[in-house]
């Protein structure tokens, strides 16, 4: 049964501001300053499992040669929570971004580390992980990562009508796409149609929220979600000063915002080049594995 999300104006329910990845892969645990969470209502942590089965806070999806040195800075969930102890208020709400099926399977073991005094919610990208999260935390909010299919087609609905569930990369995921219900494309991304007039019906069982990147925000879907009592989260805000947070505050429930960690961020061009390089390497590895 889908859980209804209480809503109202900004006076009755304001958007929660969640700190996005306050523990970056490239930074050591000792460098974390709890003061960076001032003004936030909660934190987001990326969960993966290591070879020994332990749960780690780690974002990078591809362990290429230049990323392997960062493994020395992989942080266990327990150590992260201990480091968060001085930041009591912002850590009462913990949004766990489930990055791997191993992390989903380990959720039941991870929850006691987080403690019952914290409210826990999840972002899932794989449909199987939704079931694992729901089993481990029956009353938790579960958000599903969604994004529009960005390739226009002449023989079907507009691209904004189709949404992708599961894993990245999705910007080139329209290749070989055919309109079949429940189809998985070559990136193993499940395509479903979200009808703005009935968003809840298009979501998999166990999901009671959706999560967009700011650049892929779709107002029609969000309005439909609001009407159906489905929660909405948006990530991709570079700082608390982003004016888009105020513009969207009346429409969304959670804004996932980068905290100020006191270090310059890469330029957009550098980030794009990096993403393209990783995508090429990922495709080569995938091709080699299927050969």
């Amino acid at each position: 049964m889908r859980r209804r999300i209480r809503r109202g104006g900004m006076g009755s329910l304001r958007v929660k501001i969640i700190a996005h990845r306050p523990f970056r892969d490239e930074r050591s645990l000792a460098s974390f300053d709890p003061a960076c969470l001032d003004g936030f209502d909660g934190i987001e942590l990326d969960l993966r499992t290591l070879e020994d089965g332990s749960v780690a806070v780690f974002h990078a999806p591809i362990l290429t040669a230049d990323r392997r040195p960062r493994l020395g800075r992989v942080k266990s969930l327990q150590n992260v929570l201990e480091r968060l102890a001085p930041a009591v208020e912002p850590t009462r709400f913990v949004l766990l971004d489930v990055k791997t099926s191993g992390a989903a399977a380990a959720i039941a073991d991870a929850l006691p580390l987080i403690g019952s005094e914290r409210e826990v919610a999840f972002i899932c990208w794989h449909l199987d992980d939704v079931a694992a999260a729901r089993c481990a935390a029956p009353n938790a909010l579960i958000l599903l990562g969604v994004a529009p299919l960005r390739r226009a087609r002449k023989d079907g609905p507009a691209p904004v009508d189709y949404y992708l569930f599961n894993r990245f990369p999705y910007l080139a995921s329209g290749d070989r796409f055919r309109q079949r219900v429940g189809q998985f494309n070559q990136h193993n991304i499940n395509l479903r149609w979200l009808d703005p007039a009935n968003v809840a019906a298009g979501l998999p069982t166990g999901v009671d929220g959706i999560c967009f990147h700011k650049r892929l925000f779709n107002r029609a879907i969000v309005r439909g979600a609001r009407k159906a009592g489905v929660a909405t989260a948006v990530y991709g805000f570079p700082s608390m000063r982003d004016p888009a947070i105020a513009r969207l505050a009346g429409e969304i429930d959670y804004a996932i915002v980068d905290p100020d960690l006191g270090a310059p961020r890469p330029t957009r061009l550098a980030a794009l080049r990096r993403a393209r390089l990783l995508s090429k390497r990922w495709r080569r590895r995938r091709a080699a594995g299927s050969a």
Side-chain angles (χ1 to χ4, degrees):
M1 182 176 179
R2 195 175 304 281
R3 194 161 54 91
R4 297 285 295 186
I5 306 296
R6 286 195 308 107
R7 298 177 181 273
M10 287 293 288
S12 58
L13 180 63
R14 71 180 182 88
V15 62
K16 285 189 175 181
I17 310 297
I18 310 301
H20 181 226
R21 292 174 52 208
F23 293 90
R24 299 288 166 82
D25 294 352
E26 66 275 11
R27 299 170 69 95
S28 67
L29 188 63
S31 69
F32 174 75
D33 181 2
C36 76
L37 299 179
D38 290 348
F40 285 92
D41 300 301
I43 60 168
E44 182 252 9
L45 301 175
D46 296 304
L47 292 191
R48 293 181 181 274
T49 47
L50 302 180
E51 291 182 358
D52 62 1
S54 61
V55 181
V57 176
F58 190 56
H59 173 266
I62 303 173
L63 297 179
T64 53
D66 58 331
R67 285 183 178 235
R68 287 194 182 102
R70 298 183 186 180
L71 284 174
R73 294 181 178 177
V74 170
K75 307 155 187 71
S76 73
L77 177 60
Q78 182 171 357
N79 288 342
V80 164
L81 294 172
E82 291 172 355
R83 188 67 177 169
L84 284 170
V88 176
E89 289 302 323
T91 60
R92 292 191 184 278
F93 181 89
V94 180
L95 180 59
L96 299 177
D97 192 335
V98 182
K99 293 296 185 185
T100 64
S101 57
I107 286 175
D109 295 329
L111 289 179
L113 297 175
I114 297 171
S116 59
E117 72 279 5
R118 292 185 171 103
E119 180 184 358
V120 176
F122 300 93
I123 300 176
C124 293
W125 302 92
H126 300 74
L127 302 186
D128 291 345
D129 296 349
V130 172
R134 181 58 71 207
C135 181
N139 298 318
L141 171 71
I142 297 180
L143 304 166
L144 189 69
V146 299
L149 186 66
R150 295 174 61 89
R151 184 180 296 273
R153 294 187 57 84
K154 297 179 180 179
D155 55 347
V160 294
D161 290 336
Y162 277 88
Y163 273 71
L164 311 180
F165 306 106
N166 288 9
R167 66 185 180 215
F168 297 111
Y170 53 71
L171 293 182
S173 61
D175 295 342
R176 304 179 190 173
F177 170 64
R178 300 293 182 270
Q179 296 173 36
R180 302 190 189 103
V181 176
Q183 180 209 352
F184 285 76
N185 67 5
Q186 78 272 27
H187 292 308
N188 195 28
I189 301 175
N190 186 229
L191 297 115
R192 298 189 179 200
W193 184 51
L194 288 187
D195 181 359
N198 193 5
V199 170
L203 294 177
T205 301
V207 170
D208 42 20
I210 53 179
C211 183
F212 292 90
H213 190 280
K214 181 183 74 169
R215 294 179 183 171
L216 307 176
F217 185 82
N218 183 292
R219 185 159 272 106
I221 294 293
V222 172
R223 287 175 178 169
R226 186 181 186 90
K227 183 178 179 180
V230 174
T232 302
V234 175
Y235 67 102
F237 300 105
S239 75
M240 288 272 208
R241 298 180 295 277
D242 189 335
I245 298 175
R247 289 200 304 269
L248 299 178
E251 302 177 68
I252 66 177
D253 302 286
Y254 304 92
I256 304 174
V257 182
D258 290 353
D260 183 5
L261 299 180
R265 297 182 58 82
T267 65
R268 180 179 176 183
L269 181 59
L272 181 60
R273 287 173 176 169
R274 176 71 175 170
R276 287 174 176 170
L277 175 62
L278 292 177
S279 181
K280 288 179 181 179
R281 290 176 176 174
W282 179 84
R283 287 197 296 268
R284 285 199 299 266
R285 292 180 63 183
R286 188 171 185 269
S290 60

